[in-house]
Amino acid sequence: MAADLDVVNLFVIASATLAIPILAFVASFLLWPSALIKVYHWYWRRTLGLQVRYADCGGYRFCYSCRGKPGMRPSILLLHSFSAHKDMWLTVVKYLPKHLHILCVDMPGHEGTTRTNTEDYSIQGQVRRIRQFVEAIRLNRKPFHLVGTSMGGSVAGVYAACYPPDICSMTLICPDGIKHLSETKFDNHLQDLQYNQYTLNIPLIPTTPEEMEDMLKLCSHVRFKIPQQILQGLVDVRLPHNEFYEEVFMELISERSRYALQEHLHLISAPLQIIWGKQDQVVDVSGAAVIEGHVPGCRVDLLEGCGHSVVMEKPRRTAKLILEFIISKQNTSTTKKSS
């Protein structure tokens, strides 16, 4: 009888031990989905070997994640899109070799990087801040490969134009800042916003789960099935920052920032790769031809069945294309030196 009781007690203890994390997960999913999302990002950073670090520059702080050390291949600096953060690159980093030196930085004012004023949120202002970050961590001791998507693509392109010695090669993914040849669904939204003097909700700044779902549909050609609770969590994470996002958005569509990349294309000398989703509804894929016309010899990779969120929709393909481009340009450079 005593032995039977011991078995029962062990079973109860084991069940309780298993039940606690399960109940915690269910409670987080139902009550605090935003906390679950933060834990998810923490888990994947840890799994992929990324460490979160800070760089302080005279009262201004950058938050970034990194993996590896500088080696034979160039370091890779990744610049995220509007209202995102460094963790948006986790899906791509997953498919990049672990020996590469990779850095994902929070753009000015985003996530863990200091917020200041609109001057820093213009494309030129962001370029100056990113240069400050690069110098603070001495990343430009050796030319590095720069990657940027959407807003980050515009910043990356202008950075390469302003600081050519820092860059050995560059990848722009659906970059903003181009006078594309065809209107998109988002262009129509912008026209509605302008007509109504920006009193309507901005499609890229959702305030409800329904608006979040609409934003995901706008940015992605692939239809992801996301539970309502996760949509709510995504909204909850962003809501405290929406006023800041509105400030940045208005700066990005201002006269000094809207076509900043196009105005600097003629100054880009680094080898350039363009990756674009053919079904992009935010920045039309015709922008790739515009860039190609200004930067002869650039490599253009157009992805079928893919929208604006290339990093989320085609992470494995994106990582493969970036790596192929880096290796091909490095091999070309080595051949030229040896001859």
Side-chain angles (χ1 to χ4, degrees), residues 84 126 177 180 191 274 304-305:
Q126 293 195 58
H180 41 269
Q191 290 168 11
I274 305 296
E304 190 65 60

Side-chain angles (χ1 to χ4, degrees), residues 51-90:
Q51 295 183 326
V52 174
R53 293 180 178 173
Y54 297 90
D56 292 305
C57 314
Y60 193 91
R61 167 171 279 199
F62 294 93
C63 180
Y64 67 104
S65 58
C66 61
R67 185 179 75 185
K69 296 180 179 180
M72 293 189 64
R73 300 290 184 201
S75 299
I76 303 175
L77 176 60
L78 300 141
L79 307 182
H80 64 73
S81 57
F82 165 74
S83 77
H85 47 76
K86 59 187 175 298
D87 291 331
M88 76 165 289
W89 294 106
L90 292 173

Side-chain angles (χ1 to χ4, degrees), residues 122-150:
S122 68
I123 295 301
Q124 285 281 16
Q126 293 195 58
V127 168
R128 287 192 291 270
R129 284 299 187 186
I130 294 301
R131 184 71 191 313
Q132 188 180 19
F133 168 71
V134 166
E135 290 188 315
I137 65 170
R138 302 179 68 189
L139 182 62
N140 55 351
R141 284 180 295 180
K142 178 181 175 182
F144 57 90
H145 183 83
L146 184 59
V147 182
T149 182
S150 194

Side-chain angles (χ1 to χ4, degrees), residues 286-305:
S286 60
V290 174
I291 296 174
E292 195 173 18
H294 285 79
V295 188
C298 70
R299 170 175 168 170
V300 178
D301 293 293
L302 305 182
L303 307 185
E304 190 65 60

Side-chain angles (χ1 to χ4, degrees), residues 22-38 227-237 239:
I22 291 171
L23 287 172
F25 175 83
V26 172
S28 297
F29 182 77
L30 295 175
L31 302 176
W32 305 289
S34 60
L36 194 62
I37 291 168
K38 291 179 180 179
Q228 190 73 8
Q229 285 296 323
I230 297 300
L231 289 171
Q232 183 64 61
L234 291 170
V235 171
D236 291 345
V237 168
L239 275 177

Side-chain angles (χ1 to χ4, degrees), residues 271-290:
L272 172 61
Q273 175 187 40
I274 305 296
I275 301 176
W276 218 303
K278 284 188 176 182
Q279 286 73 39
D280 193 335
Q281 297 183 93
V282 179
V283 186
D284 191 72
V285 66
S286 60
V290 174

Side-chain angles (χ1 to χ4, degrees), residues 109-316:
H110 290 71
E111 194 74 3
T113 294
T114 302
R115 285 183 188 169
T116 49
N117 51 57
T118 53
E119 183 64 31
D120 277 342
Y121 309 145
S122 68
I123 295 301
Q124 285 281 16
Q126 293 195 58
V127 168
R128 287 192 291 270
R129 284 299 187 186
I130 294 301
R131 184 71 191 313
Q132 188 180 19
F133 168 71
V134 166
E135 290 188 315
I137 65 170
R138 302 179 68 189
L139 182 62
N140 55 351
R141 284 180 295 180
K142 178 181 175 182
F144 57 90
H145 183 83
L146 184 59
V147 182
T149 182
S150 194
M151 176 192 77
S154 186
V155 173
V158 175
Y159 186 105
C162 294
Y163 306 105
D166 288 3
I167 310 298
C168 64
S169 51
M170 176 173 55
T171 301
L172 303 183
I173 305 172
C174 303
D176 197 8
I178 295 294
K179 295 179 182 177
H180 41 269
L181 304 176
S182 303
E183 285 193 349
T184 64
K185 187 175 180 180
F186 182 67
D187 290 326
N188 295 331
H189 283 306
L190 271 182
Q191 290 168 11
D192 290 341
L193 283 168
Q194 290 168 346
Y195 180 78
N196 290 277
Q197 299 183 328
Y198 300 97
T199 56
L200 301 176
N201 285 348
I202 300 169
L204 298 181
I205 308 178
T207 58
T208 65
E210 291 73 26
E211 289 179 0
M212 173 60 70
E213 191 169 25
D214 289 341
M215 186 190 80
L216 294 175
K217 288 178 181 178
L218 174 68
C219 294
S220 173
H221 179 72
V222 176
R223 292 292 174 256
F224 298 98
K225 293 182 179 178
I226 303 177
Q228 190 73 8
Q229 285 296 323
I230 297 300
L231 289 171
Q232 183 64 61
L234 291 170
V235 171
D236 291 345
V237 168
R238 296 169 61 98
L239 275 177
H241 311 289
N242 275 357
E243 188 175 337
F244 161 72
Y245 294 148
E246 288 176 13
E247 189 177 5
V248 176
F249 180 82
M250 296 307 296
E251 183 55 43
L252 292 177
I253 63 172
S254 69
E255 188 175 339
R256 65 174 173 172
S257 291
R258 190 161 187 178
Y259 300 117
L261 175 57
Q262 183 146 346
E263 291 163 1
H264 286 80
L265 286 176
H266 66 287
L267 296 173
I268 293 177
S269 57
L272 172 61
Q273 175 187 40
I274 305 296
I275 301 176
W276 218 303
K278 284 188 176 182
Q279 286 73 39
D280 193 335
Q281 297 183 93
V282 179
V283 186
D284 191 72
V285 66
S286 60
V290 174
I291 296 174
E292 195 173 18
H294 285 79
V295 188
C298 70
R299 170 175 168 170
V300 178
D301 293 293
L302 305 182
L303 307 185
E304 190 65 60
C306 184
H308 189 66
S309 300
V310 171
V311 172
M312 182 172 67
E313 297 176 76
K314 304 281 186 180
R316 185 195 295 265

